[in-house]
Amino acid sequence: MAAIGSLVFCTDCGNLLDGSAGKKDAILTCQVCGASCKDTSSKTIITRSKPTAFPSSLRAKRSEVQTLNESDMQTSAVVKENCEKCGREEVRYYTQQLRSADEGSTVFYECECGHK
């Protein structure tokens, strides 16, 4: 039998054998060719690491809590486009999918004067 980590293979036919479930001195029998041998796989692997072992900029920012108000959230963008009603040079715009997904989105322009 040959062991690779916790996997045990039959050396006669190469079949993957069932593990011994951590029993010491277990004898494994191949269900294909009938060969039997002592289980040589490693039984238990334990690893431990500290949170500081893998530094991350995201983990460092985890303690920084950001609070957003409704006024902080911007739902529309600003573009240099003239308003037809008042002549203002900048208007807000947003897009919305009104038709099927294979067609383009509709762009809506809104001025501060209320013209849409």
Side-chain angles (χ1 to χ4, degrees):
M1 308 286 166
I4 300 174
S6 61
L7 299 176
V8 182
F9 298 93
C10 178
T11 53
D12 293 346
C13 68
N15 183 40
L16 178 63
L17 302 175
D18 293 332
S20 63
K23 298 176 186 174
K24 282 190 171 186
D25 301 324
I27 302 294
L28 300 177
T29 304
C30 179
Q31 295 175 354
V32 176
C33 69
S36 60
C37 191
K38 184 177 177 181
D39 185 5
T40 57
S41 67
S42 57
K43 304 298 180 214
T44 306
I45 299 171
I46 298 174
T47 59
R48 292 189 179 104
S49 62
K50 297 177 184 176
T52 57
F54 303 99
S56 166
S57 58
L58 291 175
R59 190 177 291 122
K61 291 181 180 181
R62 191 172 26 185
S63 63
E64 298 175 16
V65 178
Q66 185 179 17
T67 306
L68 294 176
N69 298 328
E70 204 169 310
S71 61
D72 294 334
M73 292 187 273
Q74 186 178 6
T75 57
S76 60
V78 177
V79 65
K80 289 192 178 210
E81 188 73 34
N82 292 330
C83 174
E84 295 174 354
K85 188 175 181 183
C86 70
R88 184 168 295 171
E89 294 182 8
E90 287 188 342
V91 293
R92 294 184 309 272
Y93 76 95
Y94 63 94
T95 60
Q96 193 169 10
Q97 189 71 36
L98 298 178
R99 298 185 178 145
S100 62
D102 63 339
E103 297 183 26
S105 299
T106 304
V107 180
F108 292 95
Y109 294 97
E110 273 184 327
C111 183
E112 289 182 22
C113 69
H115 181 66
K116 192 174 186 180

